[in-house]
Amino acid sequence: AITSTATTGTITTTGSSSTSGGVDTAGAGGEVFLNSTGTGAITLNAAITANGGAALDPADTGGAGGRITIRNDVGAIVLDNVSTVAGTGGVAGAGGTIQLKSLGGTITQNSGTTLAGANLKVLSDDNVTLNNANTLDTIAAADTGAGKFFKYTDADGVTVGTVAAVGGGGGLLQNLAAVSGITTLGDTTGVVNVTTGGTGLLTVDQAILTTPTLKNKDGGAVTLTSGGAITSTATTGTITTTGSSS
């Protein structure tokens, strides 16, 4: 198990700011990798921050957000604030990717906390509930547990898309494969709920699929709710809730 203590147990790898004068790029956020290989939850009670450094001059580029991977091989993940946004000021830098993987346990958030960055990739075999005011650009999830659901809320707009394979210096455990769209194994409880607040656009660019693999099971319900428009991309943005055969 891995546990961080509230308030004092923060992890911060934010990059440094750019140099005043000239044209340069601020420092990128450092990579963060948490991996529990034994039985027990990863319980975060304090923030993880891997933001890019600030651009001090208008011609400078903000630092990129760092990669954050939280992986539990035998248990649940409880998240606090997790941030990998690009550095402020100057020319916009790139936000980073948050990768979450749990086997044998749920993925949830502490009340009032958020996930912030460019991309969110989720791999799990249990229920995933990320219903706080998160601010990601693109999400993708694969839930391989029969009857398990995926629920996500974004404060503005979000795209159901592809989050590429990204690895890091820690080796293969961080090299989580690309995930496209949102997949569950259906049944009445294996639903997909995606909600966006404000007037943000909810875009389905890659497929949402809730077809069961077990026989005689219903497809999982898909509910998309947006304060703005909802758009699906031609050909790739399909939604399929077909039940399994007898």
Side-chain angles (χ1 to χ4, degrees), residues 12-138:
T12 305
T13 65
T14 299
S16 62
S17 63
S18 64
T19 303
S20 183
V23 178
D24 50 20
T25 300
E31 182 171 10
V32 177
F33 179 40
L34 305 183
N35 182 206
S36 176
T37 59
T39 302
I42 294 177
T43 305
L44 302 179
N45 297 300
I48 296 176
T49 306
N51 296 339
L56 297 184
D57 293 331
D60 291 348
T61 301
R67 182 187 307 109
I68 299 173
T69 304
I70 302 172
R71 174 173 178 157
N72 194 342
D73 296 339
V74 197
I77 297 173
V78 181
L79 299 165
D80 204 87
N81 291 307
V82 179
S83 180
T84 173
V85 300
T88 58
V91 179
T97 295
I98 300 170
Q99 301 186 119
L100 307 174
K101 182 174 183 179
S102 72
L103 298 175
T106 60
I107 300 178
T108 59
Q109 296 176 275
N110 293 325
S111 176
T113 65
T114 62
L115 308 180
N119 306 304
L120 172 67
K121 177 192 301 179
V122 179
L123 299 163
S124 183
D125 61 3
D126 209 323
N127 291 323
V128 177
T129 307
L130 302 172
N131 277 341
N132 294 347
N134 303 300
T135 53
L136 282 304
D137 298 328
T138 301

Side-chain angles (χ1 to χ4, degrees), residues 143-174:
D143 198 319
T144 57
K148 303 303 182 181
F149 60 71
F150 177 83
K151 299 180 180 181
Y152 175 82
T153 298
D154 202 278
D156 39 46
V158 75
T159 295
V160 177
T162 297
V163 180
V166 289
L172 294 177
L173 292 176
Q174 291 159 271

